[in-house]
Coordinates of all heavy atoms in Angstrom, one line a residue:
M143 N 22.2 -55.9 -16.1 CA 23.0 -54.6 -16.3 C 24.3 -54.8 -15.6 O 24.4 -55.1 -14.5 CB 22.1 -53.5 -15.6 CG 22.8 -52.2 -15.6 SD 22.2 -51.1 -17.0 CE 20.5 -51.6 -17.2
S144 N 25.4 -54.5 -16.3 CA 26.7 -54.6 -15.8 C 26.9 -53.5 -14.7 O 26.2 -52.5 -14.7 CB 27.8 -54.5 -16.8 OG 28.0 -53.1 -17.2
G145 N 27.9 -53.7 -13.9 CA 28.1 -52.7 -12.8 C 29.1 -51.6 -13.1 O 29.6 -51.1 -12.2
D146 N 29.2 -51.3 -14.4 CA 30.2 -50.4 -14.8 C 29.9 -48.9 -14.4 O 30.8 -48.2 -13.9 CB 30.4 -50.4 -16.3 CG 31.1 -51.6 -16.8 OD1 31.8 -52.1 -16.0 OD2 30.9 -52.0 -18.0
G147 N 28.6 -48.5 -14.5 CA 28.3 -47.1 -14.2 C 27.8 -46.9 -12.9 O 27.6 -47.9 -12.1
N148 N 27.5 -45.7 -12.6 CA 26.8 -45.3 -11.3 C 25.5 -44.7 -11.6 O 25.3 -43.9 -12.6 CB 27.6 -44.2 -10.6 CG 29.0 -44.7 -10.2 OD1 29.1 -45.8 -9.7 ND2 30.0 -43.9 -10.4
W149 N 24.5 -45.0 -10.8 CA 23.2 -44.3 -10.9 C 23.3 -43.0 -10.2 O 23.7 -42.9 -9.0 CB 22.1 -45.1 -10.2 CG 21.7 -46.4 -11.0 CD1 22.0 -47.7 -10.7 CD2 20.9 -46.4 -12.2 NE1 21.5 -48.5 -11.6 CE2 20.8 -47.8 -12.5 CE3 20.3 -45.5 -13.0 CZ2 20.1 -48.2 -13.7 CZ3 19.6 -45.9 -14.1 CH2 19.5 -47.2 -14.4
V150 N 23.0 -41.9 -10.9 CA 23.2 -40.6 -10.4 C 21.8 -39.9 -10.6 O 21.2 -39.9 -11.6 CB 24.3 -39.8 -11.2 CG1 24.3 -38.3 -10.7 CG2 25.6 -40.5 -11.1
K151 N 21.4 -39.2 -9.5 CA 20.2 -38.5 -9.5 C 20.4 -37.2 -10.4 O 21.3 -36.4 -10.1 CB 19.7 -38.1 -8.1 CG 18.4 -37.3 -8.2 CD 17.9 -36.9 -6.8 CE 16.7 -35.9 -6.9 NZ 16.2 -35.4 -5.6
V152 N 19.5 -37.0 -11.3 CA 19.7 -35.8 -12.2 C 18.5 -34.8 -12.1 O 18.6 -33.7 -12.5 CB 19.8 -36.2 -13.7 CG1 21.1 -37.0 -13.9 CG2 18.6 -37.0 -14.2
A153 N 17.4 -35.3 -11.5 CA 16.2 -34.4 -11.4 C 15.2 -35.0 -10.5 O 15.2 -36.2 -10.2 CB 15.6 -34.1 -12.8
N154 N 14.2 -34.2 -10.1 CA 13.0 -34.8 -9.6 C 12.0 -35.0 -10.7 O 11.9 -34.1 -11.6 CB 12.4 -33.8 -8.5 CG 13.2 -33.7 -7.3 OD1 13.6 -34.8 -6.8 ND2 13.5 -32.5 -6.9
A155 N 11.4 -36.1 -10.8 CA 10.5 -36.4 -11.9 C 9.4 -35.3 -12.1 O 9.1 -34.9 -13.2 CB 9.8 -37.7 -11.7
E156 N 9.0 -34.7 -11.0 CA 7.9 -33.7 -11.1 C 8.4 -32.4 -11.7 O 7.6 -31.6 -12.1 CB 7.2 -33.5 -9.7 CG 8.2 -32.9 -8.7 CD 7.6 -32.7 -7.4 OE1 6.5 -33.3 -7.1 OE2 8.2 -31.9 -6.6
D157 N 9.7 -32.2 -11.7 CA 10.2 -31.0 -12.3 C 10.4 -31.0 -13.8 O 10.8 -30.0 -14.4 CB 11.6 -30.7 -11.7 CG 11.5 -30.4 -10.2 OD1 10.4 -30.0 -9.7 OD2 12.6 -30.5 -9.5
V158 N 10.1 -32.1 -14.4 CA 10.2 -32.2 -15.9 C 8.9 -32.7 -16.4 O 8.6 -33.9 -16.5 CB 11.3 -33.2 -16.3 CG1 11.5 -33.1 -17.8 CG2 12.6 -32.9 -15.6
P159 N 8.0 -31.8 -16.8 CA 6.7 -32.2 -17.2 C 6.7 -33.0 -18.5 O 7.7 -32.9 -19.3 CB 6.0 -30.8 -17.6 CG 6.8 -29.8 -16.8 CD 8.2 -30.3 -16.8
A160 N 5.7 -33.8 -18.7 CA 5.7 -34.7 -19.9 C 5.7 -33.8 -21.2 O 5.1 -32.7 -21.2 CB 4.4 -35.5 -20.0
G161 N 6.5 -34.2 -22.1 CA 6.7 -33.5 -23.4 C 7.8 -32.5 -23.3 O 8.1 -31.8 -24.3
E162 N 8.5 -32.4 -22.2 CA 9.6 -31.5 -22.0 C 10.9 -32.2 -21.8 O 11.0 -33.4 -21.6 CB 9.3 -30.5 -20.9 CG 8.0 -29.7 -21.2 CD 7.9 -28.5 -20.4 OE1 8.8 -28.1 -19.6 OE2 6.8 -27.9 -20.5
M163 N 12.0 -31.4 -21.8 CA 13.4 -32.0 -21.6 C 14.2 -30.9 -20.9 O 13.9 -29.7 -20.9 CB 14.0 -32.3 -23.0 CG 14.0 -31.1 -23.9 SD 14.4 -31.5 -25.6 CE 13.8 -30.0 -26.4
I164 N 15.3 -31.4 -20.3 CA 16.2 -30.5 -19.6 C 17.6 -31.0 -19.9 O 17.9 -32.1 -20.2 CB 16.0 -30.5 -18.1 CG1 16.2 -31.9 -17.5 CG2 14.6 -29.9 -17.7 CD1 16.3 -31.8 -15.9
A165 N 18.5 -30.0 -19.8 CA 19.9 -30.3 -20.0 C 20.5 -30.5 -18.6 O 20.2 -29.8 -17.6 CB 20.6 -29.1 -20.6
V166 N 21.3 -31.6 -18.4 CA 22.0 -31.8 -17.2 C 23.4 -32.1 -17.4 O 23.8 -32.8 -18.3 CB 21.3 -33.0 -16.4 CG1 19.9 -32.6 -15.9 CG2 21.2 -34.2 -17.2
A167 N 24.3 -31.5 -16.5 CA 25.7 -31.7 -16.6 C 26.0 -32.6 -15.4 O 25.8 -32.3 -14.3 CB 26.5 -30.4 -16.5
I168 N 26.6 -33.8 -15.8 CA 26.8 -34.8 -14.7 C 28.1 -35.5 -15.0 O 28.3 -36.0 -16.1 CB 25.6 -35.8 -14.6 CG1 25.5 -36.3 -13.2 CG2 25.7 -36.9 -15.5 CD1 24.6 -35.4 -12.3
E169 N 29.0 -35.6 -14.1 CA 30.3 -36.3 -14.2 C 31.0 -35.9 -15.5 O 31.4 -36.8 -16.3 CB 30.1 -37.8 -14.1 CG 29.4 -38.1 -12.7 CD 29.6 -39.5 -12.2 OE1 30.2 -40.3 -13.0 OE2 29.3 -39.8 -11.1
G170 N 31.0 -34.6 -15.8 CA 31.7 -34.2 -17.0 C 31.0 -34.4 -18.3 O 31.6 -34.2 -19.4
K171 N 29.8 -34.9 -18.2 CA 29.0 -35.1 -19.5 C 27.9 -34.2 -19.6 O 27.3 -33.8 -18.6 CB 28.5 -36.6 -19.5 CG 29.5 -37.7 -19.5 CD 28.8 -39.0 -19.7 CE 29.7 -40.2 -19.8 NZ 30.4 -40.5 -18.6
N172 N 27.6 -33.8 -20.8 CA 26.3 -33.0 -21.1 C 25.3 -34.0 -21.5 O 25.4 -34.6 -22.6 CB 26.6 -32.0 -22.2 CG 27.5 -30.9 -21.7 OD1 27.4 -30.4 -20.6 ND2 28.3 -30.4 -22.6
L173 N 24.3 -34.1 -20.7 CA 23.2 -35.0 -21.0 C 21.9 -34.3 -21.2 O 21.7 -33.2 -20.7 CB 22.9 -36.0 -19.9 CG 24.1 -36.9 -19.4 CD1 23.6 -38.0 -18.5 CD2 24.8 -37.5 -20.6
A174 N 21.0 -34.9 -22.0 CA 19.7 -34.4 -22.2 C 18.7 -35.4 -21.5 O 18.9 -36.6 -21.8 CB 19.3 -34.3 -23.7
L175 N 17.8 -34.9 -20.7 CA 16.8 -35.8 -20.1 C 15.5 -35.5 -20.7 O 15.1 -34.3 -20.7 CB 16.8 -35.6 -18.6 CG 15.7 -36.4 -17.8 CD1 16.1 -37.9 -17.8 CD2 15.6 -35.9 -16.4
Y176 N 14.8 -36.5 -21.2 CA 13.5 -36.2 -21.9 C 12.4 -36.9 -21.1 O 12.6 -38.1 -20.7 CB 13.5 -36.9 -23.3 CG 14.7 -36.5 -24.1 CD1 15.9 -37.4 -24.1 CD2 14.7 -35.4 -24.9 CE1 17.0 -37.1 -24.8 CE2 15.9 -35.1 -25.7 CZ 17.0 -35.9 -25.6 OH 18.1 -35.7 -26.4
H177 N 11.3 -36.3 -21.0 CA 10.1 -36.9 -20.4 C 9.0 -36.9 -21.5 O 8.5 -35.9 -22.0 CB 9.5 -36.0 -19.2 CG 8.4 -36.7 -18.5 ND1 7.8 -36.1 -17.4 CD2 7.8 -37.9 -18.7 CE1 6.8 -36.9 -17.0 NE2 6.8 -38.0 -17.7
L178 N 8.8 -38.1 -22.1 CA 7.9 -38.3 -23.2 C 6.5 -38.1 -22.8 O 6.1 -38.3 -21.7 CB 8.2 -39.6 -23.9 CG 9.6 -39.9 -24.3 CD1 9.6 -41.2 -25.2 CD2 10.2 -38.8 -25.1
D179 N 5.7 -37.9 -23.8 CA 4.2 -37.7 -23.6 C 3.6 -39.0 -23.0 O 2.6 -39.0 -22.3 CB 3.5 -37.4 -24.9 CG 3.8 -36.0 -25.4 OD1 4.0 -35.1 -24.5 OD2 3.9 -35.8 -26.6
N180 N 4.2 -40.1 -23.3 CA 3.7 -41.4 -22.8 C 4.2 -41.7 -21.4 O 3.9 -42.8 -20.9 CB 4.1 -42.6 -23.8 CG 5.6 -42.9 -23.8 OD1 6.3 -42.3 -23.0 ND2 6.0 -43.8 -24.6
G181 N 4.9 -40.8 -20.8 CA 5.3 -41.0 -19.4 C 6.8 -41.5 -19.2 O 7.3 -41.4 -18.1
E182 N 7.3 -42.0 -20.3 CA 8.7 -42.5 -20.2 C 9.7 -41.4 -20.1 O 9.6 -40.4 -20.7 CB 9.0 -43.4 -21.4 CG 8.2 -44.6 -21.6 CD 8.5 -45.4 -22.9 OE1 9.5 -45.0 -23.6 OE2 7.8 -46.3 -23.2
F183 N 10.8 -41.7 -19.3 CA 12.0 -40.9 -19.3 C 13.1 -41.5 -20.0 O 13.3 -42.7 -19.9 CB 12.4 -40.6 -17.8 CG 11.6 -39.6 -17.1 CD1 10.4 -40.0 -16.4 CD2 12.0 -38.3 -17.0 CE1 9.6 -39.1 -15.7 CE2 11.2 -37.4 -16.3 CZ 10.1 -37.8 -15.6
H184 N 13.8 -40.7 -20.8 CA 15.0 -41.2 -21.5 C 16.1 -40.2 -21.4 O 15.9 -39.0 -21.2 CB 14.7 -41.5 -23.0 CG 13.7 -42.6 -23.2 ND1 14.1 -43.9 -23.1 CD2 12.4 -42.6 -23.3 CE1 13.1 -44.7 -23.3 NE2 12.0 -43.9 -23.4
A185 N 17.4 -40.6 -21.6 CA 18.5 -39.7 -21.5 C 19.5 -40.0 -22.7 O 19.7 -41.2 -23.0 CB 19.3 -39.9 -20.2
T186 N 20.0 -39.0 -23.3 CA 21.0 -39.1 -24.3 C 22.1 -38.1 -24.0 O 22.0 -37.2 -23.2 CB 20.5 -38.8 -25.7 OG1 20.2 -37.4 -25.8 CG2 19.2 -39.6 -26.0
E187 N 23.3 -38.3 -24.8 CA 24.2 -37.2 -24.8 C 23.5 -36.0 -25.3 O 22.6 -36.1 -26.2 CB 25.3 -37.5 -25.9 CG 26.3 -38.6 -25.5 CD 27.5 -38.1 -24.8 OE1 27.5 -36.9 -24.4 OE2 28.4 -38.9 -24.7
N188 N 23.8 -34.8 -24.9 CA 23.1 -33.6 -25.3 C 23.7 -33.0 -26.6 O 23.1 -32.2 -27.2 CB 23.0 -32.6 -24.2 CG 21.9 -31.6 -24.4 OD1 21.1 -31.7 -25.3 ND2 21.9 -30.5 -23.6
V189 N 24.9 -33.4 -26.9 CA 25.6 -32.8 -28.1 C 25.3 -33.6 -29.3 O 25.4 -34.8 -29.3 CB 27.1 -32.7 -27.9 CG1 27.8 -32.1 -29.1 CG2 27.4 -31.8 -26.6
C190 N 24.8 -32.9 -30.4 CA 24.5 -33.6 -31.6 C 25.7 -34.3 -32.2 O 26.8 -33.8 -32.0 CB 24.0 -32.5 -32.6 SG 23.4 -33.3 -34.2
T191 N 25.5 -35.4 -32.9 CA 26.7 -36.1 -33.4 C 27.1 -35.5 -34.8 O 28.1 -35.9 -35.4 CB 26.3 -37.6 -33.7 OG1 25.2 -37.7 -34.5 CG2 26.0 -38.3 -32.4
H192 N 26.3 -34.6 -35.3 CA 26.6 -34.0 -36.6 C 27.7 -32.9 -36.5 O 28.8 -33.0 -37.0 CB 25.3 -33.6 -37.3 CG 25.5 -32.9 -38.6 ND1 25.0 -31.7 -38.9 CD2 26.3 -33.3 -39.7 CE1 25.4 -31.4 -40.2 NE2 26.1 -32.3 -40.7
Q193 N 27.3 -31.8 -35.9 CA 28.2 -30.7 -35.5 C 27.9 -30.4 -34.1 O 27.4 -31.2 -33.4 CB 28.1 -29.6 -36.5 CG 28.6 -29.9 -37.9 CD 28.4 -28.8 -38.9 OE1 28.1 -27.7 -38.5 NE2 28.7 -29.1 -40.2
F194 N 28.3 -29.1 -33.7 CA 28.1 -28.8 -32.3 C 26.8 -28.1 -32.1 O 26.6 -26.9 -32.5 CB 29.2 -28.0 -31.7 CG 29.0 -27.9 -30.2 CD1 29.5 -28.8 -29.3 CD2 28.3 -26.8 -29.7 CE1 29.2 -28.8 -28.0 CE2 28.1 -26.7 -28.3 CZ 28.5 -27.7 -27.5
A195 N 25.8 -28.7 -31.5 CA 24.6 -28.1 -31.1 C 24.0 -28.9 -29.9 O 24.3 -30.1 -29.8 CB 23.6 -28.1 -32.2
L196 N 23.3 -28.2 -29.0 CA 22.7 -28.9 -27.9 C 21.3 -29.4 -28.3 O 20.5 -28.5 -28.8 CB 22.6 -28.0 -26.7 CG 24.0 -27.6 -26.1 CD1 23.8 -26.8 -24.9 CD2 24.8 -28.9 -25.7
L197 N 21.0 -30.7 -28.2 CA 19.7 -31.2 -28.6 C 18.6 -30.6 -27.8 O 17.5 -30.4 -28.3 CB 19.7 -32.7 -28.4 CG 20.7 -33.4 -29.3 CD1 20.7 -34.9 -29.1 CD2 20.5 -33.1 -30.8
T198 N 18.9 -30.2 -26.5 CA 17.8 -29.6 -25.7 C 17.5 -28.2 -26.2 O 16.5 -27.6 -25.7 CB 18.2 -29.5 -24.2 OG1 19.6 -29.0 -24.1 CG2 18.2 -30.9 -23.6
D199 N 18.2 -27.6 -27.1 CA 17.8 -26.4 -27.8 C 16.9 -26.6 -29.0 O 16.5 -25.7 -29.6 CB 19.1 -25.6 -28.3 CG 19.8 -25.0 -27.1 OD1 19.2 -24.8 -26.0 OD2 21.0 -24.7 -27.3
G200 N 16.7 -27.9 -29.2 CA 15.8 -28.3 -30.4 C 14.4 -28.6 -29.9 O 13.9 -28.0 -29.0
W201 N 13.8 -29.5 -30.7 CA 12.3 -29.7 -30.5 C 12.1 -31.2 -30.2 O 12.5 -32.0 -31.0 CB 11.6 -29.3 -31.7 CG 11.7 -27.8 -31.9 CD1 11.0 -26.8 -31.4 CD2 12.8 -27.1 -32.7 NE1 11.5 -25.6 -31.7 CE2 12.6 -25.8 -32.5 CE3 13.9 -27.6 -33.4 CZ2 13.4 -24.8 -33.1 CZ3 14.7 -26.6 -34.0 CH2 14.5 -25.3 -33.9
L202 N 11.3 -31.5 -29.2 CA 11.0 -32.8 -28.8 C 9.6 -33.1 -29.3 O 8.6 -32.3 -29.0 CB 11.0 -33.0 -27.3 CG 10.7 -34.4 -26.8 CD1 11.7 -35.5 -27.3 CD2 10.7 -34.4 -25.2
E203 N 9.4 -34.1 -30.2 CA 8.1 -34.5 -30.6 C 8.0 -36.0 -30.5 O 8.7 -36.7 -31.2 CB 7.9 -34.1 -32.1 CG 6.5 -34.1 -32.6 CD 6.4 -33.7 -34.0 OE1 7.3 -33.2 -34.6 OE2 5.3 -33.9 -34.5
D204 N 7.0 -36.4 -29.7 CA 6.9 -37.8 -29.4 C 8.2 -38.3 -28.9 O 8.7 -37.8 -27.9 CB 6.3 -38.7 -30.5 CG 4.9 -38.2 -31.0 OD1 4.2 -37.8 -30.1 OD2 4.6 -38.2 -32.1
C205 N 8.8 -39.3 -29.5 CA 10.1 -39.9 -29.0 C 11.2 -39.4 -29.9 O 12.3 -39.9 -29.8 CB 10.0 -41.4 -29.0 SG 9.8 -42.1 -30.7
Y206 N 11.0 -38.3 -30.6 CA 12.1 -37.8 -31.5 C 12.6 -36.4 -31.1 O 11.7 -35.6 -30.8 CB 11.6 -37.7 -33.0 CG 11.2 -39.1 -33.5 CD1 9.9 -39.4 -33.6 CD2 12.2 -40.0 -33.9 CE1 9.6 -40.7 -34.1 CE2 11.9 -41.2 -34.3 CZ 10.5 -41.6 -34.4 OH 10.2 -42.8 -34.9
I207 N 13.9 -36.3 -31.0 CA 14.4 -34.9 -30.8 C 15.0 -34.4 -32.1 O 15.7 -35.2 -32.8 CB 15.5 -35.0 -29.7 CG1 16.1 -33.6 -29.4 CG2 16.6 -36.0 -30.0 CD1 15.1 -32.6 -28.8
E208 N 14.7 -33.2 -32.4 CA 15.1 -32.6 -33.6 C 16.2 -31.5 -33.3 O 15.9 -30.6 -32.5 CB 14.0 -31.9 -34.4 CG 14.5 -31.3 -35.7 CD 13.3 -30.7 -36.5 OE1 12.3 -31.4 -36.6 OE2 13.4 -29.6 -37.0
C209 N 17.4 -31.7 -33.9 CA 18.5 -30.8 -33.6 C 18.1 -29.3 -34.1 O 17.6 -29.2 -35.2 CB 19.7 -31.3 -34.3 SG 21.2 -30.2 -34.1
P210 N 18.5 -28.3 -33.3 CA 18.2 -27.0 -33.7 C 19.0 -26.5 -34.9 O 18.6 -25.5 -35.6 CB 18.5 -26.1 -32.5 CG 19.6 -26.9 -31.8 CD 19.2 -28.4 -32.0
L211 N 20.1 -27.1 -35.2 CA 21.0 -26.5 -36.2 C 20.7 -26.9 -37.6 O 20.6 -26.1 -38.5 CB 22.5 -26.9 -35.8 CG 23.5 -25.9 -36.3 CD1 23.2 -24.5 -36.0 CD2 24.9 -26.3 -35.7
H212 N 20.6 -28.2 -37.9 CA 20.3 -28.7 -39.3 C 19.1 -29.6 -39.3 O 19.0 -30.4 -40.2 CB 21.5 -29.3 -39.9 CG 22.8 -28.5 -39.8 ND1 23.7 -28.9 -38.8 CD2 23.2 -27.4 -40.4 CE1 24.7 -28.0 -38.9 NE2 24.4 -27.1 -39.8
A213 N 18.3 -29.6 -38.2 CA 17.1 -30.4 -38.2 C 17.3 -32.0 -38.3 O 16.5 -32.7 -38.7 CB 16.1 -30.0 -39.3
G214 N 18.6 -32.4 -37.9 CA 18.8 -33.9 -37.8 C 17.9 -34.4 -36.6 O 17.6 -33.7 -35.7
R215 N 17.4 -35.6 -36.8 CA 16.6 -36.2 -35.7 C 17.1 -37.5 -35.2 O 17.7 -38.3 -35.9 CB 15.2 -36.5 -36.3 CG 14.3 -35.2 -36.5 CD 13.2 -35.3 -37.5 NE 12.3 -36.4 -37.2 CZ 11.1 -36.1 -36.6 NH1 10.8 -35.0 -36.1 NH2 10.3 -37.2 -36.3
F216 N 16.8 -37.7 -33.9 CA 17.2 -39.0 -33.2 C 16.0 -39.5 -32.5 O 15.2 -38.7 -32.0 CB 18.3 -38.7 -32.2 CG 19.6 -38.1 -32.7 CD1 19.7 -36.8 -32.7 CD2 20.6 -39.0 -33.2 CE1 20.9 -36.2 -33.2 CE2 21.8 -38.4 -33.6 CZ 22.0 -37.1 -33.7
D217 N 15.9 -40.8 -32.4 CA 14.9 -41.5 -31.5 C 15.6 -41.5 -30.2 O 16.6 -42.2 -30.0 CB 14.6 -42.9 -32.1 CG 13.6 -43.6 -31.2 OD1 13.4 -43.3 -30.0 OD2 12.9 -44.4 -31.8
V218 N 15.0 -40.8 -29.2 CA 15.7 -40.7 -27.9 C 15.6 -42.0 -27.1 O 16.4 -42.1 -26.1 CB 15.0 -39.5 -27.0 CG1 15.1 -38.2 -27.8 CG2 13.6 -39.9 -26.5
R219 N 14.8 -43.0 -27.5 CA 14.7 -44.2 -26.8 C 15.9 -45.1 -27.2 O 16.4 -45.9 -26.4 CB 13.4 -45.0 -27.2 CG 12.2 -44.2 -26.9 CD 10.9 -44.8 -27.5 NE 11.1 -44.9 -29.0 CZ 10.3 -45.5 -29.8 NH1 9.1 -46.0 -29.3 NH2 10.5 -45.5 -31.0
T220 N 16.4 -45.0 -28.4 CA 17.5 -45.8 -28.9 C 18.7 -45.0 -29.3 O 19.8 -45.6 -29.4 CB 17.0 -46.6 -30.1 OG1 16.7 -45.6 -31.1 CG2 15.8 -47.5 -29.8
G221 N 18.6 -43.7 -29.5 CA 19.7 -42.9 -30.0 C 19.9 -43.0 -31.5 O 20.8 -42.3 -32.0
K222 N 19.0 -43.8 -32.2 CA 19.2 -44.0 -33.6 C 19.0 -42.6 -34.4 O 18.0 -42.0 -34.2 CB 18.1 -45.0 -34.1 CG 18.6 -46.4 -33.9 CD 19.1 -47.0 -35.2 CE 19.8 -48.3 -35.0 NZ 21.2 -48.3 -35.0
G223 N 20.0 -42.3 -35.2 CA 19.8 -41.2 -36.1 C 18.7 -41.5 -37.2 O 18.6 -42.7 -37.6
Q224 N 18.0 -40.5 -37.5 CA 16.8 -40.7 -38.4 C 17.1 -40.2 -39.8 O 16.3 -39.5 -40.5 CB 15.6 -40.1 -37.8 CG 15.2 -40.5 -36.4 CD 14.8 -42.0 -36.4 OE1 13.9 -42.4 -37.1 NE2 15.5 -42.8 -35.6
G225 N 18.3 -40.4 -40.3 CA 18.7 -40.0 -41.7 C 19.4 -38.7 -41.7 O 19.8 -38.1 -40.7
D226 N 19.6 -38.2 -43.0 CA 20.3 -37.0 -43.3 C 20.0 -35.8 -42.3 O 18.8 -35.6 -42.0 CB 19.9 -36.6 -44.7 CG 21.2 -36.4 -45.5 OD1 22.2 -37.1 -45.2 OD2 21.1 -35.7 -46.5
P227 N 21.0 -35.1 -41.8 CA 22.4 -35.2 -42.1 C 23.1 -36.1 -41.0 O 24.3 -36.0 -40.9 CB 22.9 -33.8 -41.9 CG 22.0 -33.2 -40.9 CD 20.7 -33.9 -41.0
I228 N 22.4 -36.9 -40.3 CA 22.9 -37.6 -39.2 C 23.5 -39.0 -39.7 O 22.7 -39.7 -40.3 CB 21.9 -37.9 -38.1 CG1 21.2 -36.6 -37.6 CG2 22.5 -38.7 -36.9 CD1 22.1 -35.6 -37.0
D229 N 24.8 -39.2 -39.5 CA 25.3 -40.5 -39.8 C 25.9 -41.3 -38.7 O 26.5 -42.3 -38.8 CB 26.3 -40.5 -41.0 CG 27.4 -39.5 -40.7 OD1 27.6 -39.2 -39.6 OD2 28.1 -39.1 -41.7
E230 N 25.7 -40.7 -37.5 CA 26.2 -41.4 -36.3 C 25.1 -41.3 -35.2 O 24.6 -40.2 -35.0 CB 27.5 -40.7 -35.8 CG 28.2 -41.5 -34.7 CD 29.4 -40.7 -34.2 OE1 29.9 -39.9 -34.9 OE2 29.7 -40.8 -33.0
D231 N 24.8 -42.4 -34.6 CA 23.7 -42.4 -33.5 C 24.3 -41.7 -32.3 O 25.5 -41.5 -32.1 CB 23.4 -43.8 -33.2 CG 22.8 -44.6 -34.3 OD1 22.3 -44.0 -35.3 OD2 22.8 -45.9 -34.2
V232 N 23.4 -41.2 -31.5 CA 23.7 -40.5 -30.3 C 23.7 -41.5 -29.1 O 22.8 -42.4 -29.2 CB 22.8 -39.2 -30.0 CG1 21.4 -39.6 -29.6 CG2 23.5 -38.3 -29.0
R233 N 24.6 -41.3 -28.2 CA 24.7 -42.3 -27.1 C 23.5 -42.1 -26.2 O 23.0 -41.0 -25.9 CB 26.0 -42.1 -26.3 CG 26.2 -43.1 -25.3 CD 27.6 -43.0 -24.7 NE 27.7 -43.8 -23.5 CZ 28.6 -43.7 -22.5 NH1 29.5 -42.7 -22.6 NH2 28.6 -44.5 -21.5
V234 N 22.9 -43.2 -25.7 CA 21.8 -43.2 -24.7 C 22.3 -43.8 -23.4 O 23.3 -44.5 -23.3 CB 20.6 -44.0 -25.2 CG1 20.0 -43.4 -26.5 CG2 20.9 -45.5 -25.5
F235 N 21.6 -43.4 -22.3 CA 22.0 -43.8 -21.0 C 20.7 -44.4 -20.3 O 19.6 -43.8 -20.5 CB 22.5 -42.6 -20.2 CG 23.7 -42.0 -20.7 CD1 23.6 -41.0 -21.7 CD2 25.0 -42.4 -20.3 CE1 24.8 -40.5 -22.3 CE2 26.1 -41.8 -20.8 CZ 26.0 -40.9 -21.8
P236 N 20.9 -45.4 -19.5 CA 19.7 -46.0 -18.8 C 19.2 -45.0 -17.8 O 19.9 -44.3 -17.2 CB 20.3 -47.2 -18.1 CG 21.6 -47.5 -18.9 CD 22.1 -46.2 -19.3
V237 N 17.9 -45.0 -17.7 CA 17.2 -44.1 -16.8 C 16.2 -45.0 -15.9 O 15.6 -45.9 -16.4 CB 16.3 -43.1 -17.5 CG1 15.6 -42.2 -16.6 CG2 17.2 -42.3 -18.4
K238 N 16.1 -44.6 -14.6 CA 15.1 -45.2 -13.8 C 14.5 -44.2 -12.8 O 15.2 -43.2 -12.5 CB 15.6 -46.4 -13.0 CG 16.6 -46.1 -11.9 CD 17.0 -47.4 -11.2 CE 18.1 -47.1 -10.1 NZ 18.6 -48.3 -9.5
I239 N 13.3 -44.4 -12.4 CA 12.7 -43.5 -11.4 C 12.6 -44.2 -10.1 O 12.2 -45.4 -10.0 CB 11.2 -43.2 -11.9 CG1 11.2 -42.7 -13.3 CG2 10.6 -42.1 -10.9 CD1 11.9 -41.4 -13.6
E240 N 13.0 -43.5 -9.0 CA 13.0 -44.1 -7.7 C 12.6 -43.0 -6.7 O 13.2 -42.0 -6.6 CB 14.4 -44.6 -7.3 CG 14.4 -46.1 -7.0 CD 15.9 -46.6 -6.8 OE1 16.6 -45.9 -6.0 OE2 16.3 -47.6 -7.4
D241 N 11.5 -43.3 -6.0 CA 11.0 -42.4 -5.0 C 10.8 -40.9 -5.6 O 11.2 -40.0 -4.9 CB 11.9 -42.3 -3.8 CG 11.9 -43.7 -3.1 OD1 10.9 -44.4 -3.2 OD2 13.0 -44.0 -2.5
G242 N 10.4 -40.8 -6.8 CA 10.2 -39.5 -7.4 C 11.4 -38.9 -8.0 O 11.4 -37.8 -8.5
A243 N 12.6 -39.6 -7.9 CA 13.8 -39.0 -8.4 C 14.1 -39.7 -9.7 O 13.9 -40.9 -9.9 CB 15.0 -39.3 -7.4
V244 N 14.7 -39.0 -10.7 CA 15.1 -39.5 -11.9 C 16.6 -39.8 -11.8 O 17.4 -39.0 -11.5 CB 14.9 -38.5 -13.1 CG1 15.3 -39.2 -14.4 CG2 13.5 -38.1 -13.1
L245 N 17.0 -41.1 -12.0 CA 18.4 -41.5 -11.9 C 18.8 -42.0 -13.3 O 18.1 -42.6 -14.0 CB 18.5 -42.7 -10.9 CG 17.9 -42.5 -9.6 CD1 18.1 -43.8 -8.7 CD2 18.6 -41.4 -8.8
V246 N 20.1 -41.6 -13.6 CA 20.7 -41.9 -14.9 C 21.9 -42.7 -14.6 O 22.7 -42.3 -13.7 CB 21.0 -40.7 -15.7 CG1 21.7 -41.1 -17.0 CG2 19.7 -39.9 -16.1
M247 N 22.2 -43.8 -15.4 CA 23.4 -44.5 -15.2 C 24.5 -43.9 -16.1 O 24.3 -43.9 -17.3 CB 23.3 -46.0 -15.5 CG 24.6 -46.7 -15.3 SD 24.5 -48.5 -15.5 CE 23.9 -48.9 -13.9
V248 N 25.5 -43.3 -15.5 CA 26.6 -42.7 -16.3 C 27.9 -43.4 -16.0 O 28.1 -44.1 -15.0 CB 26.7 -41.2 -15.9 CG1 25.5 -40.5 -16.5 CG2 26.9 -41.0 -14.5
Ligands
LIG414 FE1 22.7 -31.4 -35.3 FE2 23.8 -30.6 -37.7 S1 24.5 -30.1 -35.7 S2 22.0 -31.7 -37.3

């Protein structure tokens, strides 16, 4: 991992139950933090790449987030758009857990 970013604490792991997500504002960015049913944490930009909507206002199902506005979907592990109307992937950020804290590299 290059040393470009900083690891920033965004939450306590226990505050985000599995299957849920939260919006976090950090260093001028709107991020979405997801806790998947399988225990993994992932982070993406929170703003949809299609138009303006917050992904955390949508629906998380397994590893997919569905945008509340036009039902575009992204794989939160990779940021890959899952077809119409999404034609641009969403940016993802590395996440790690340390001493019960969720850290995101921004
Ligand atoms: Fe997200 Fe249109 S704004 S799918």
